[in-house]
Amino acid sequence: MLYDEKIWMGQDYDGAEKLCILPKMVNRHGLITGATGTGKTITLKVMAESLSEMGVPVFLSDVKGDLAGMLLPGTETQDMAERKKYFGLDTAGFRYQGYPVEFWDVEEKGGLPLRTTISEFGPTLLARLLELSELQADILSIVFRIADEHQLLLLDTKDLRAMLQHVAEHSKEYSETYGNMSKQSLNAILRAVVALETEGGDRFFGEPAIDIHDFMVKGADGKGCINIMDARKTMQNPRIYSTFMLYMLSELFEQMPEVGDMAEPSMVFFFDEAHLLFEDAPKALIAKIEQVVKLIRSKGIGVYFISQNPADIPDTVLAQLGNKVQHALRAYTPAEKKRVHAAAQAFRANPAFDTEAVLEELGTGEALISFLDQDGRPQMVRRARILPPESKMGPVEESERTAAIKASALYQKYAVMIDRDSAYEYFKRKSGQEELKRQEAKEAEEREKREAREQESMAKQEEKERKKKLATVKSVGRSTAGTLGREVGYAVGKELFGSSIGRRIGGNIGAALGRGILDTLLGR
């Protein structure tokens, strides 16, 4: 809650002083750490509620489902009554209330769909999501470049699959321009995409893509919107969860304008289970995270990492986190003792107590706190009790969550996925056109063969008819020639031999000569 225009987070252990974060120091980032069950979630809720009261929107992930209760007012219990009395909250303006909440979900079940396009996600984060090797990541970057140069939209995973298949089919051609891209590497990337789809990661890619400016809205009462990403299901695949959260942070960095130092932040981003972001992350990605955290402050964005131990955060990033709330750490082994010692050393010492010893003694709802002062210097560490939240502790009924989602002004914008004409449709059309050309060429070839066969058949039939006619002519002609020759032979034979025998011999010879002459003229 707010006190004297500051974010009141807790009270000094002796009850003498209220411990507050200065609004203009919120975007110097921070860290909330502690063992499981020590009160990190309560600390997160108290800070998010206070920022909302200031009109500052926040984005946070709900990995257990218990942050959804911020939608509804808290209820009075004996424990709450005792805590209110301890902090003097009844006279400080404390009241049970709900806050303006937008539910979001990569899985599209516990909130409005959180989507982006393949192109906007980019090859660097996509390579991490697909767990590609360095070589495969370089090839993926080239595939993105080819798509960009050919003005092909990569919106969802089927677009990416189509693009990878196209490049694989023309790998020799593209390798001459962009360097060697083996089909084996391209097929390995393709298999990784298919595996991501099998894990449900394809639901994150598509349109309408999330507009981060929709996180910046305020409620009717001027309170900043608390954007809660339902990560209960997404957390089952830590790689998808952490990469998506990093994408959201990167989008804020890239899209928000430079604003310099402000009296209060434009937005605050809480990264729960932050250790997942840095596990097995390549040096290049760690460097990118460090750059984003270092520079995003000038855009009015505060980033708060939440994890069990400060050792989960690389030193280069940890050095950028000015506001610290450290809940209890438990140490049972030498390695754990070293981590407790390192966590204690991160604070500016307080001569009133042994920081390392107190760190192991803290109870639930207690913490070691160090915030930045007016000049941006870390204050001396204080042992404190954290305030209770004004909203409901714990989850909400699914019916209440569903009602809130459907009542959102953004429901119509994001509820239904659209599928624009993109790379997949382009290659499908191109494949169809090529198939049509192949079919047309095949039909033309078959038509030519059919026409050739018909012409050959007709020629054979004509030849047959010609021979038949010729045979008829020959038959009639031979008969006629034989008859004429016989008549002439009769006369010649009778004249020469003067007898019937001569006449018969002459007729036979005449008939044979007549037929022979005709055969000679017409051909055999």
Side-chain angles (χ1 to χ4, degrees):
M1 61 182 296
L2 298 181
Y3 175 80
D4 193 24
E5 298 183 348
K6 293 177 286 188
I7 299 174
W8 183 14
M9 290 296 300
Q11 197 136 306
D12 196 315
Y13 202 68
D14 59 14
E17 185 179 351
K18 293 178 174 61
L19 303 179
C20 304
I21 303 178
L22 299 174
K24 73 174 186 177
M25 292 297 165
V26 172
N27 68 337
R28 300 294 180 95
H29 313 316
L31 181 69
I32 302 173
T33 52
T36 300
T38 55
K40 298 190 299 295
T41 299
I42 296 300
T43 300
L44 167 59
K45 290 185 71 171
V46 171
M47 187 172 181
E49 289 177 356
S50 301
L51 290 165
S52 179
E53 288 276 3
M54 291 168 52
V56 177
V58 301
F59 184 94
L60 49 87
S61 56
D62 190 1
V63 299
K64 295 179 290 186
D66 51 358
L67 294 178
M70 301 178 79
L71 175 69
L72 303 173
T75 55
E76 184 77 1
T77 63
Q78 182 177 348
D79 178 65
M80 281 296 297
E82 291 173 357
R83 297 176 75 180
K84 285 167 58 180
K85 182 178 180 180
Y86 173 82
F87 290 108
L89 296 178
D90 285 329
T91 59
F94 181 94
R95 64 187 180 91
Y96 294 115
Q97 59 176 319
Y99 290 82
V101 167
E102 287 286 0
F103 291 110
W104 303 90
D105 186 8
V106 173
E107 301 289 332
E108 305 180 13
K109 295 178 180 178
L112 297 173
L114 275 170
R115 306 188 192 97
T116 188
T117 65
I118 291 287
S119 293
E120 289 175 343
F121 200 69
T124 301
L125 289 180
L126 189 58
R128 182 177 192 262
L129 189 60
L130 298 175
E131 296 184 297
L132 302 183
S133 67
E134 186 175 347
L135 174 62
Q136 291 166 349
D138 290 340
I139 291 176
L140 183 63
S141 296
I142 294 174
V143 171
F144 269 70
R145 179 175 175 180
I146 293 171
D148 185 58
E149 290 178 352
H150 288 78
Q151 297 181 335
L152 295 171
L153 293 176
L154 301 179
L155 303 180
D156 51 30
T157 53
K158 70 178 187 297
D159 289 326
L160 181 58
R161 280 192 283 107
M163 192 69 208
L164 288 166
Q165 290 166 348
H166 168 74
V167 175
E169 290 170 0
H170 300 82
S171 57
K172 290 185 178 179
E173 173 188 341
Y174 286 121
S175 293
E176 293 177 358
T177 303
Y178 302 100
N180 184 48
M181 291 184 289
S182 69
K183 289 186 177 181
Q184 291 85 350
S185 295
L186 288 162
N187 287 332
I189 299 172
L190 184 59
R191 288 194 298 271
V193 175
V194 174
L196 178 67
E197 292 175 328
T198 303
E199 295 173 355
D202 57 324
R203 287 192 290 271
F204 176 45
F205 296 106
E207 290 186 314
I210 185 65
D211 180 355
I212 63 167
H213 296 93
D214 287 334
F215 296 151
M216 308 297 180
V217 298
K218 296 183 179 182
D221 53 3
K223 291 186 176 71
C225 182
I226 298 176
N227 297 277
I228 300 176
M229 186 186 90
D230 183 7
R232 292 173 294 175
K233 182 75 180 295
T234 310
M235 274 297 296
Q236 295 177 16
N237 191 322
R239 180 168 41 88
I240 293 178
Y241 166 76
S242 59
T243 308
F244 164 75
M245 291 292 285
L246 179 56
Y247 166 74
M248 296 303 301
L249 185 59
S250 300
E251 281 294 286
L252 288 169
F253 172 67
E254 291 173 6
Q255 294 195 33
M256 295 299 291
E258 292 281 345
V259 293
D261 292 326
M262 301 176 65
E264 59 187 41
S266 302
M267 184 180 183
V268 176
F269 187 96
F270 292 93
F271 203 131
D272 202 357
E273 301 293 341
H275 66 282
L276 298 175
L277 177 61
F278 303 102
E279 285 182 353
D280 302 321
K283 291 182 180 180
L285 185 60
I286 296 294
K288 177 179 176 62
I289 297 169
E290 180 185 356
Q291 179 192 41
V292 169
V293 172
K294 184 183 296 184
L295 300 179
I296 201 171
R297 179 176 67 85
S298 64
K299 302 195 174 190
I301 307 296
V303 181
Y304 285 74
F305 293 100
I306 305 163
S307 194
Q308 292 196 12
N309 196 300
D312 296 333
I313 314 298
D315 290 341
T316 53
V317 177
L318 196 61
Q320 309 296 323
L321 312 180
N323 301 297
K324 297 186 178 79
V325 179
Q326 175 68 67
H327 289 274
L329 290 176
R330 310 304 182 204
Y332 304 103
T333 67
E336 290 171 340
K337 287 285 187 183
K338 288 183 179 180
R339 286 195 288 267
V340 170
H341 177 74
Q345 292 298 310
F347 288 101
R348 179 182 166 191
N350 187 333
F353 58 84
D354 182 340
T355 304
E356 186 172 344
V358 169
L359 194 50
E360 294 188 66
E361 298 172 0
L362 294 171
T364 301
E366 298 179 358
L368 293 177
I369 287 179
S370 176
F371 300 139
L372 298 177
D373 65 15
Q374 185 73 25
D375 297 320
R377 297 172 301 188
Q379 295 176 331
M380 188 168 52
V381 63
R382 310 289 286 274
R383 181 175 183 175
R385 290 185 172 92
I386 303 298
L387 265 64
E390 296 178 314
S391 61
K392 178 182 177 179
M393 292 188 184
V396 297
E397 297 292 335
E398 288 303 312
S399 58
E400 293 172 321
R401 179 192 294 269
T402 301
I405 294 169
K406 292 187 176 180
S408 170
L410 299 172
Y411 182 76
Q412 294 298 327
K413 179 177 180 179
Y414 292 106
V416 179
M417 179 182 283
I418 59 176
D419 190 7
R420 277 198 296 158
D421 191 286
S422 50
Y424 172 79
E425 287 77 16
Y426 168 78
F427 288 120
K428 188 175 181 180
R429 283 195 304 272
K430 185 177 180 181
S431 176
Q433 291 169 354
E434 291 175 350
E435 180 61 29
L436 180 60
K437 289 179 179 178
R438 286 193 295 269
Q439 187 64 31
E440 289 176 346
K442 183 178 179 181
E443 290 176 354
E445 182 180 358
E446 291 178 351
R447 186 168 54 252
E448 289 177 359
K449 289 180 179 179
R450 187 172 60 253
E451 290 175 352
R453 287 195 300 268
E454 290 174 353
Q455 289 176 358
E456 183 180 357
S457 178
M458 289 176 62
K460 288 181 178 179
Q461 184 64 30
E462 289 175 355
E463 179 65 16
K464 185 177 180 181
E465 292 293 329
R466 185 185 70 80
K467 288 181 177 180
K468 184 178 179 181
K469 290 178 181 179
L470 182 60
T472 302
V473 171
K474 282 184 176 182
S475 178
V476 174
R478 292 181 85 247
S479 178
T480 303
T483 300
L484 292 175
R486 190 180 299 278
E487 292 297 327
V488 173
Y490 282 160
V492 173
K494 183 178 181 181
E495 182 69 28
L496 293 176
F497 300 105
S499 68
S500 59
I501 294 174
R503 183 174 180 274
R504 187 165 55 252
I505 293 172
N508 290 338
I509 293 172
L513 288 173
R515 288 193 292 269
I517 293 170
L518 183 65
D519 288 343
T520 300
L521 292 174
L522 297 178
R524 299 295 297 178

